[in-house]
Amino acid sequence: MGYRQVALDLTDAEALDLVGEMAQLFARYAELGPGPGRRRRLISHVIVPARDAGAPSPEE
């Protein structure tokens, strides 16, 4: 099991491009299907808008 997280500074258009590219990548591997030596792996991704750097926290 693994966990990866990265913070990226993207425009809305760049974020949409990234999501589209990720979907294409997942689709490419999904087409492989079951086979010898393959094990089903569940890959999940969650996209969360982060507070802008330098912006005050809600508590401030």
Side-chain angles (χ1 to χ4, degrees), residues 9-46:
D9 297 310
L10 305 173
T11 65
D12 289 347
E14 291 166 337
L16 287 173
D17 286 345
L18 175 62
V19 171
E21 288 183 35
M22 289 171 57
Q24 290 175 0
L25 182 64
F26 291 152
R28 188 175 95 207
Y29 281 91
E31 289 175 2
L32 296 175
R38 291 202 175 109
R39 183 173 5 164
R40 180 170 287 267
R41 300 167 195 275
L42 178 62
I43 299 174
S44 304
H45 67 272
V46 177

